Amino acid sequence: MSKISNNIRSAVAQLSQMYKPSLALAKSVLIASAAVTLSLMGARQLGILEPVELSAYDQMVRWRPDEQPDSRLLVVGITEADIQKLKQWPISDRKIAEILQKLDKMQPAVIGLDVLRDVPLGDGREELTKVLQKSDRIIGVCLVTDGSPDNPGSPPAPGLPENRVGFADFGVDPGGILRRALLFMKPPTIEGNSSAQKHLCNDNSQVLASFNLQLALRYLQGQKIYPQMAPDQSLWLGETKLKQLESNDGGYTNADARGYQILINYRSRQQVANQVRITDILEGKVDPNLVKDKIVLIGYTTETVKDLFYTPYSGQQQSNQFMPGIVAHAQVVSQILSAVLDNRPMLWFWPEWAEILWISAWSIVGGTLASRMAHPAKLTVTFGAVLSGCCAISFGIFLLGGWVPVAAPALALILTGGSIVSAERFNKAGYGKAISDRVKQVFKIEIDQAKKEQQVAEITESDFFKELQQKKDKLRISKQETSEKTHSDPQEITASTPELAKAESQTDDYLAQLQEKAKQQKQRAAVTESESGSQTSVPIDTGSGASSAETKPDDEFSDLQTKAKQMRQRRGAQKMIKDEKIDSLTDKEDLGGKEE
């Protein structure tokens, strides 16, 4: 068993050594990916990436192929040619009443009149009111107030009950681009004490449905499909949920999501449904089959009225940049009907955690590619291909009805790859090692300094150090007391200096010891000389050629004599200093006495 365990340990060690560079590389990629992902999520929260994401959304809408016109709808446009032919501007109430009567005879499912009639225009006001009261197929419009006293909104045409009125307002994004549709809303309260007339579209106690939703609901009633509100306040039509847009869905960041909004899933840029002119209706040139059981929408398509919107299709177009309001309503009506009756998906979005994983995955891909490829040209081509793949996958999801981030993962791919390449070049140039060594040196100095401080703190807290401090304080106090006594009473110097006497006695003892050692050295030298004379007859030169045995005792003896002489001189000097101090202090006392 021990042999097997040793083999396993050896194999693990070899594998760890083999894959150690790969693990270090993976670690660096993961760190760079995490840093880039967190930075991009922070940028998204600040709204920095929202314009780029919305532009990507518009581009995908333009790339998407147009669908066939919705056969359930018919748009009756009031064009500039109609105005010139009728020689009326605006179209009079009588003409509007006549158009409604002709359409009603063709038995449409519902008629939507996107023409404001809050005030009389021309003659025929009573005729229009009778037509609106008589037919239950007609849905009218009003405009909601924005809350300011100068814009109280526009009331619906007289004769229309509240259940056959919808607001015609749209919510546009920054830049004036129409991407969202309001289905329900509550009119805001008008600021201040406004004297404006109260009506349905400025009554804050009412919850209003939009014009396009009213048309779709009236049509679905013929299909035995009725709206239901779920406990979470979501709108269901049959088995289809109209998902409410939230403030951070898709590429939006803190968008104004008040009311019940959906993202418009445009059907076509050119022709969302069959379209005719009002003069064709008045002249009887329209096939009744285009009207029967259909949703008919009547509204201005001329640029004179300025009921126009920028849409995702407006980008990079020199002409036809605007979409008339009546056509935009038709887009929303067709979207609702297609979702309920044709299973055409509503636009959906990933939750935030899925978007973070999506961005992080592309970041890891970019870091891995950059770490594996060293050739710049090959790396550039590969990155271009992968970036195209990222956009292609996002567009494929969009074709399935999902709007996922496009700009954020593309930036994550580029930024992570760029950071890995920059880091490798930085390390190869030697800057990384130099900076690392410098940082280590700084940390080492700080650690050593901290260690020294800790050791000093331990010493100062020890009992031994405290005892030394106490002895130091006692010596300082005794020294001060001795100095004070010296200045106050000089006669006490001889009596209060036992230590000096003790020092002198120690000095005398030391001199006696030196003299005793000198005596012993002389005796040892004499014995050495007699022994050397009896052993050999060779004369010994006592001059410069003396032996080391004789020279060494003499040198030591002379040294001892020198030390003894120095000690005597030092003792004499100390005694002289003491005598001078006593004399000076005595003179000061005498002078003090004379002055008194």
Side-chain angles (χ1 to χ4, degrees):
M1 290 296 293
S2 60
K3 186 176 181 180
I4 295 174
S5 62
N6 291 333
N7 292 334
I8 293 174
R9 291 194 192 96
S10 176
V12 170
Q14 292 178 0
L15 288 174
S16 63
Q17 291 295 328
M18 184 184 303
Y19 291 104
K20 188 174 182 180
S22 299
L23 292 175
L25 189 62
K27 184 179 179 181
S28 64
V29 170
L30 290 176
I31 292 174
S33 174
V36 170
T37 302
L38 291 175
S39 301
L40 289 175
M41 293 307 299
R44 289 192 72 194
Q45 290 298 322
L46 295 175
I48 298 174
L49 298 181
E50 182 181 57
V52 186
E53 292 289 1
L54 293 179
S55 298
Y57 169 81
D58 295 344
Q59 185 61 56
M60 290 190 294
V61 171
R62 291 192 292 269
W63 282 343
R64 189 173 57 180
D66 290 348
E67 300 182 31
Q68 294 295 323
D70 195 331
S71 59
R72 294 167 295 217
L73 279 68
L74 176 67
V75 176
V76 179
I78 303 175
T79 65
E80 188 66 27
D82 293 328
I83 295 173
Q84 297 295 328
K85 193 171 185 178
L86 295 174
K87 300 186 184 301
Q88 290 184 5
W89 174 250
I91 303 298
S92 65
D93 290 342
R94 178 169 282 116
K95 286 296 180 183
I96 295 295
E98 184 179 352
I99 293 168
L100 293 175
Q101 287 175 339
K102 288 183 175 293
L103 288 172
D104 191 61
K105 290 180 180 179
M106 298 181 192
Q107 299 180 351
V110 59
I111 301 173
L113 181 62
D114 186 20
V115 176
L116 289 173
R117 294 286 120 168
D118 52 327
V119 296
L121 294 174
D123 54 359
R125 183 68 172 182
E126 293 182 358
E127 295 178 20
L128 177 60
T129 302
K130 289 180 180 179
V131 171
L132 295 177
Q133 291 176 342
K134 182 179 179 180
S135 176
D136 61 350
R137 293 192 178 101
I138 302 172
I139 304 294
V141 296
C142 65
L143 294 181
V144 177
T145 177
D146 61 1
S148 64
D150 295 332
N151 185 16
S154 299
L160 280 174
E162 293 183 357
N163 63 348
R164 288 199 284 120
V165 177
F167 62 86
D169 303 80
F170 280 105
V172 295
D173 290 332
I177 299 178
L178 179 62
R179 299 186 184 93
R180 295 175 287 163
L182 270 164
L183 300 185
F184 293 105
M185 71 175 301
K186 197 173 186 179
T189 303
I190 299 178
E191 299 175 358
N193 295 323
S194 176
S195 59
Q197 178 186 358
K198 279 285 187 180
H199 56 80
L200 180 64
C201 285
N202 63 15
D203 186 359
N204 185 252
S205 64
Q206 299 285 338
V207 177
L208 305 179
S210 66
F211 174 65
N212 40 58
L213 179 62
Q214 288 277 40
L215 295 176
L217 293 179
R218 183 59 62 93
Y219 183 86
L220 291 174
Q221 285 180 6
Q223 308 293 325
K224 306 300 182 182
I225 297 175
Y226 302 96
Q228 293 182 350
M229 294 298 294
D232 60 353
Q233 299 302 309
S234 59
L235 177 62
W236 288 78
L237 296 174
E239 297 181 355
T240 302
K241 178 183 179 181
L242 301 183
K243 186 182 184 307
Q244 183 178 5
L245 182 69
E246 297 181 2
S247 58
N248 291 320
D249 280 343
Y252 285 107
T253 302
N254 300 323
D256 184 3
R258 289 178 295 176
Y260 198 106
Q261 302 183 34
I262 61 172
L263 198 64
I264 300 177
N265 191 4
Y266 286 92
R267 188 181 188 93
S268 171
R269 79 177 68 197
Q270 297 292 339
Q271 193 174 6
V272 62
N274 295 320
Q275 187 168 336
V276 298
R277 299 184 300 178
I278 60 168
T279 52
D280 295 334
I281 299 294
L282 292 172
E283 295 173 359
K285 296 180 179 180
V286 176
D287 184 359
N289 292 324
L290 291 176
V291 178
K292 187 176 181 179
D293 299 329
K294 303 295 192 299
I295 299 175
V296 180
L297 296 95
I298 305 172
Y300 288 99
T301 58
T302 176
E303 295 184 2
T304 306
V305 182
K306 304 299 181 183
D307 184 19
L308 304 170
F309 295 94
Y310 286 108
T311 67
Y313 297 115
S314 301
Q316 301 177 352
Q317 286 193 13
Q318 300 298 324
S319 59
N320 299 325
Q321 292 186 350
F322 300 103
M323 180 175 289
I326 190 64
V327 178
H329 284 298
Q331 296 275 5
V332 179
V333 174
S334 176
Q335 175 182 356
I336 296 173
L337 296 182
S338 298
V340 177
L341 301 177
D342 303 335
N343 293 324
R344 183 173 181 251
M346 299 284 292
L347 291 175
W348 46 268
F349 321 96
W350 279 345
E352 187 174 4
W353 62 266
E355 292 181 350
I356 294 174
L357 291 178
W358 171 252
I359 296 170
S360 179
W362 286 107
S363 177
I364 293 173
V365 170
T368 304
L369 290 176
S371 62
R372 296 293 183 183
M373 296 182 180
H375 197 279
K378 186 177 180 181
L379 181 61
T380 303
V381 173
T382 304
F383 257 71
V386 174
L387 189 61
S388 300
C390 174
C391 296
I393 294 173
S394 300
F395 181 61
I397 296 174
F398 186 74
L399 292 177
L400 298 175
W403 182 18
V404 300
V406 180
L411 287 174
L413 178 73
I414 296 171
L415 292 177
T416 307
S419 64
I420 294 295
V421 172
S422 301
E424 288 182 355
R425 292 185 177 180
F426 190 77
N427 291 330
K428 286 180 180 179
Y431 297 114
K433 188 177 184 302
I435 294 174
S436 176
D437 294 341
R438 182 60 180 169
V439 171
K440 288 179 180 179
Q441 184 179 1
V442 172
F443 277 110
K444 184 178 180 181
I445 292 172
E446 292 180 354
I447 291 170
D448 291 344
Q449 186 66 25
K451 187 176 180 180
K452 289 180 180 179
E453 292 177 357
Q454 183 180 2
Q455 291 176 352
V456 170
E458 291 177 354
I459 292 172
T460 55
E461 293 296 329
S462 63
D463 295 336
F464 178 72
F465 184 81
K466 291 179 180 178
E467 291 177 1
L468 290 177
Q469 287 282 55
Q470 292 175 359
K471 290 182 179 179
K472 179 182 177 183
D473 294 338
K474 290 179 180 179
L475 289 173
R476 187 184 295 111
I477 293 170
S478 63
K479 184 177 180 181
Q480 290 177 356
E481 292 176 352
T482 304
S483 177
E484 291 174 358
K485 288 180 180 181
T486 302
H487 290 290
S488 61
D489 190 2
Q491 294 180 356
E492 294 181 0
I493 294 175
T494 56
S496 61
T497 55
E499 294 182 359
L500 182 59
K502 183 179 180 181
E504 291 178 353
S505 63
Q506 290 178 354
T507 304
D508 294 337
D509 294 339
Y510 186 63
L511 288 173
Q513 292 176 5
L514 290 177
Q515 290 176 354
E516 183 67 25
K517 288 183 179 181
K519 184 178 180 180
Q520 293 176 1
Q521 289 292 339
K522 284 182 179 181
Q523 292 176 358
R524 194 177 299 159
V527 173
T528 305
E529 184 178 358
S530 62
E531 289 178 355
S532 61
S534 62
Q535 289 177 1
T536 180
S537 61
V538 179
I540 301 174
D541 188 1
T542 60
S544 59
S547 64
S548 60
E550 292 175 340
T551 305
K552 184 175 181 181
D554 293 337
D555 293 339
E556 291 181 357
F557 178 71
S558 62
D559 291 339
L560 292 172
Q561 285 181 334
T562 302
K563 290 181 180 179
K565 185 178 181 179
Q566 290 176 354
M567 292 297 294
R568 291 191 190 95
Q569 291 175 354
R570 191 176 301 161
R571 186 178 65 177
Q574 290 176 352
K575 186 174 182 181
M576 289 175 63
I577 291 170
K578 181 183 72 174
D579 293 339
E580 288 177 358
K581 286 183 179 180
I582 294 172
D583 293 340
S584 62
L585 291 172
T586 305
D587 293 338
K588 287 181 181 179
E589 282 188 349
D590 294 339
L591 290 172
K594 288 179 182 180
E595 290 176 358
E596 291 177 357

